[in-house]
Amino acid sequence: MSDATTSMRDALYEAPGPKTRRRIRFWTFVSLLLVAWGVWAIIRRFYVTGQLSPKYWLFFTRWTTWRFLLQGLMGTIEVAVTSGIIALVLGLLLMLGRISSNRVLSAVCHVVINFFRGVPSLLLIYFFFLVIPQYGIKMSSFWMIALPVALAASGVLAEVFRAGMNAVPRGQTEAALSLGMSPMHVKLKIVFPQALRMVIPSLVSQLVVVVKDTTVAYVVSFPDMLQNARVLITNYDALVSTYFVIAIIYILINYGINQLSVYLARRSGTRIVARTSENPM
Amino acid sequence: MATTMQDEGKQTPVIELRDVDKHYGDLHVLKNINLEVDKGEVLVIIGPSGSGKSTLCRTINRLETIDSGQILIEGKPLPQEGKELAAMRAELGMVFQQFNLFAHMSILDNVTIGPIDVLGVPKEKAQAEAMELLKRVGVAEQASKVPAQLSGGQQQRVAIARSLAMHPKAMLFDEPTSALDPEMINEVLDVMVELARQGMTMIVVTHEMSFARRVADRVVFMADGQIVEEGAPDEFFDHPKSERAKEFLESISGH
């Protein structure tokens, strides 16, 4: 992944000469000063408004606070993982339907994909929360958040998969067809595995979106991390400090997911190289 | 089934094209093509680029469709779709200019996937046979690598082994050496010469004139979507009849 970034930079910019390097050093210094000033200004503002006062922070030293937040975190992880898995499977099925040679199936999947892609996930959640129960369908708050988040993600994932399928060189399909494989067999066994390796970074970005989407769980009163944080805020009247802490937790989770994508991309790296060197641009 | 046909006297051609026509929009890429390839025959198709020779080769296993005419494999019309088409394709080997090895699979898996997935050969048996084939084309030591780790010449030899693993009735070669570095062309041609010697029925689209002269039973010269001339290689290369063929042969021997 880092190799790819480097080569991208090389492709976009010339290697800097001595004058440019001096200019870069100057502006790096200036921006560092600006950042430092910004951080200092924020902390000062916190201090002035009394946000650094111990009463807003001390309850974070208590185990019960963390246990409560961790329970919320488990809720978030359960919803995110469930939604993620449903979205991956459904996205794959929708993509296969979309690229099917059956025109009707393809059209239906096209509409479904664009519906889920186009509708905000919050609207889907309201639908599951307010509309579906009116028809007598009982659903726990867990599914009221997990399903709509999964549906919203599945539309995007279907398109991500499809982009990957289209990016696999046509020759791979032709060679497989020539061996006598059926078109569906070719898609699943030859094209899809290569497409999957290509779209890993986009898949992971979408998983991050799923994690972030779970934060609207408060709408259905599902105890995810954000919901529990709101309870803490009410109890301790500590809005800024609590949001600050859970923001860092969310950032760490999503950073972890991104690192996973870097790892996955590297692990399948030789094979991605295989494809590009076979068909040099 | 072929034997019953043979009993009628004249041998049925392995591949036969009758009055085949194809257009790409306004471009008439194949004009009234008639061609027969007998069992064990090596047919080499040459001609300037854009003459339709690759397209012709690809119509035979329906990677390209045709507008009119007929393509017969051992006397039976080429199926248009479904299981029948897949079964027919399984009996015709195809080697591509860009090799098209499955990039995400090991060399061994590239050669065994056809027999295992299409013919239902048990894995151990398929692997043993694949190793034999890889040995035959001289890349057995590379069996566990992925395609990108091999040179172009090695990849193309694996592609030939992959086709051979299906025990094809005939092999189609679509410019098999055109994407190779010059020093790798001969290692691929050698494998093809060996195949021809063993009696494989082959259609080869190529720019390698020395190969055509050495191995072909018959040379077909195409230009502008038509078969302009065909004949024995020595006859064709030494005494071309048509002006178009004369021009072409002069232009490529000019240096």
Side-chain angles (χ1 to χ4, degrees):
Chain A
M1 194 91 179
S2 64
D3 288 351
T5 335
T6 323
S7 63
M8 177 77 82
R9 193 177 297 148
D10 291 347
L12 289 178
Y13 304 103
E14 257 187 306
K19 259 189 200 166
T20 317
R21 276 204 295 273
R22 228 172 299 141
R23 209 169 54 222
I24 290 173
R25 267 201 299 274
F26 173 73
W27 285 111
T28 308
F29 180 70
V30 170
S31 17
L32 279 178
L33 277 185
L34 279 172
V35 168
W37 177 80
V39 170
W40 180 80
I42 291 171
I43 293 175
R44 202 184 120 75
R45 216 43 226 151
F46 275 17
Y47 180 75
V48 169
T49 54
Q51 286 297 339
L52 294 182
S53 129
K55 67 166 174 171
Y56 290 132
W57 297 91
L58 266 181
F59 66 94
F60 280 113
T61 59
R62 266 180 243 150
W63 168 235
T64 45
T65 306
W66 285 104
R67 199 179 56 189
F68 190 57
L69 274 182
L70 282 178
Q71 278 167 358
L73 180 62
M74 285 315 292
T76 294
I77 289 173
E78 274 169 33
V79 172
V81 169
T82 310
S83 296
I85 290 170
I86 294 174
L88 283 172
V89 174
L90 195 60
L92 179 59
L93 292 177
L94 283 173
M95 176 275 288
L96 287 175
R98 175 83 171 85
I99 64 172
S100 153
S101 48
N102 182 332
R103 290 250 180 100
V104 179
L105 180 62
S106 171
V108 168
C109 289
H110 186 88
V111 170
V112 171
I113 288 168
N114 279 308
F115 178 79
F116 288 148
R117 257 193 341 153
V119 174
S121 48
L122 189 56
L123 205 64
L124 286 174
I125 291 167
Y126 277 135
F127 180 79
F128 274 78
F129 182 47
L130 301 173
V131 181
I132 287 188
Q134 287 187 352
Y135 294 93
I137 299 169
K138 285 262 190 314
M139 206 183 275
S140 68
S141 62
F142 176 83
W143 291 109
M144 279 195 246
I145 178 73
L147 281 180
V149 167
L151 291 182
S154 70
V156 181
L157 287 181
E159 287 299 286
V160 168
F161 283 138
R162 196 165 70 94
M165 300 284 280
N166 287 337
V168 174
R170 174 90 190 127
Q172 297 283 310
T173 301
E174 290 183 348
L177 288 175
S178 300
L179 287 178
M181 293 187 200
S182 72
M184 190 44 87
H185 193 143
V186 174
K187 279 171 194 155
L188 289 179
K189 200 144 179 188
I190 304 296
V191 181
F192 183 69
Q194 298 186 51
L196 191 61
R197 292 188 170 92
M198 273 190 268
V199 300
I200 283 174
S202 314
L203 282 186
V204 170
S205 314
Q206 198 51 39
L207 276 181
V208 169
V209 171
V210 166
V211 170
K212 295 206 280 186
D213 270 359
T214 60
T215 55
V216 277
Y218 72 87
V219 173
V220 298
S221 313
F222 178 78
D224 80 324
M225 188 165 66
L226 191 64
Q227 172 70 10
N228 285 7
R230 290 158 66 88
V231 174
L232 284 182
I233 289 168
T234 327
N235 277 353
Y236 295 100
D237 189 29
L239 186 110
V240 173
S241 58
T242 307
Y243 277 157
F244 185 81
V245 168
I246 68 155
I248 286 176
I249 298 176
Y250 275 115
I251 290 171
L252 286 178
I253 292 172
N254 288 332
Y255 179 76
I257 295 176
N258 277 319
Q259 286 306 107
L260 181 71
S261 101
V262 174
Y263 167 77
L264 287 175
R266 239 185 232 147
R267 218 183 56 137
S268 56
T270 51
R271 280 146 184 202
I272 290 176
V273 170
R275 187 188 51 75
T276 39
S277 68
E278 189 187 331
N279 288 283
M281 300 281 282
Chain B
M1 234 170 279
T3 46
T4 57
M5 296 285 197
Q6 278 167 10
D7 292 343
E8 289 167 17
K10 186 192 172 294
Q11 198 191 9
T12 313
V14 179
I15 296 167
E16 185 179 357
L17 283 78
R18 287 187 197 155
D19 308 323
V20 168
D21 265 271
K22 181 180 177 64
H23 300 254
Y24 283 129
D26 287 341
L27 187 65
H28 201 167
V29 272
L30 294 177
K31 295 175 189 160
N32 193 34
I33 302 289
N34 283 283
L35 199 62
E36 285 183 14
V37 185
D38 289 325
K39 194 163 190 303
E41 196 180 11
V42 176
L43 182 84
V44 172
I45 305 177
I46 61 173
S49 46
S51 59
K53 53 195 193 312
S54 255
T55 309
L56 173 63
C57 186
R58 290 161 55 85
T59 58
I60 295 170
N61 66 358
R62 214 170 189 278
L63 289 178
E64 301 277 357
T65 56
I66 56 175
D67 298 340
S68 62
Q70 256 194 316
I71 296 173
L72 305 168
I73 311 294
E74 291 191 324
K76 287 173 289 181
L78 181 68
Q80 313 239 326
E81 60 199 336
K83 283 206 177 78
E84 297 75 22
L85 175 61
M88 192 62 88
R89 280 172 170 161
E91 295 183 343
L92 295 171
M94 177 100 187
V95 175
F96 300 85
Q97 184 176 349
Q98 295 291 345
F99 332 135
N100 294 345
L101 292 183
F102 305 130
H104 60 305
M105 292 182 182
S106 74
I107 296 305
L108 184 64
D109 289 345
N110 262 277
V111 182
T112 57
I113 184 170
I116 293 174
D117 283 23
V118 177
L119 304 178
V121 175
K123 194 176 174 194
E124 289 74 27
K125 188 163 174 261
Q127 286 184 337
E129 198 183 343
M131 286 310 295
E132 277 305 308
L133 284 168
L134 289 173
K135 215 172 282 170
R136 200 164 128 197
V137 299
V139 284
E141 322 80 63
Q142 324 282 346
S144 58
K145 294 186 179 169
V146 290
Q149 294 169 294
L150 270 59
S151 72
Q154 289 172 327
Q155 289 194 48
Q156 194 60 300
R157 285 183 281 153
V158 173
I160 294 173
R162 175 174 67 177
S163 285
L164 288 175
M166 299 295 288
H167 301 289
K169 285 177 179 154
M171 295 265 289
L172 310 169
F173 293 84
D174 184 7
E175 303 203 21
T177 57
S178 297
L180 294 174
D181 292 336
E183 74 269 23
M184 293 170 183
I185 290 176
N186 278 328
E187 63 190 55
V188 172
L189 290 180
D190 287 347
V191 171
M192 291 167 61
V193 171
E194 190 54 37
L195 262 183
R197 197 175 294 155
Q198 287 162 359
M200 176 62 76
T201 309
M202 294 161 65
I203 293 184
V204 184
V205 174
T206 188
H207 293 290
E208 296 297 323
M209 298 305 149
S210 62
F211 172 82
R213 199 186 260 271
R214 195 152 51 114
V215 183
D217 294 311
R218 197 147 49 98
V219 173
V220 167
F221 174 71
M222 281 184 78
D224 307 317
Q226 276 174 309
I227 294 180
V228 178
E229 191 172 337
E230 59 177 291
D234 286 340
E235 182 66 22
F236 172 78
F237 285 111
D238 297 335
H239 311 287
K241 290 192 273 296
S242 63
E243 276 306 310
R244 197 73 184 75
K246 276 179 203 161
E247 268 172 45
F248 175 73
L249 290 174
E250 266 167 36
S251 71
I252 55 169
S253 63
H255 44 81

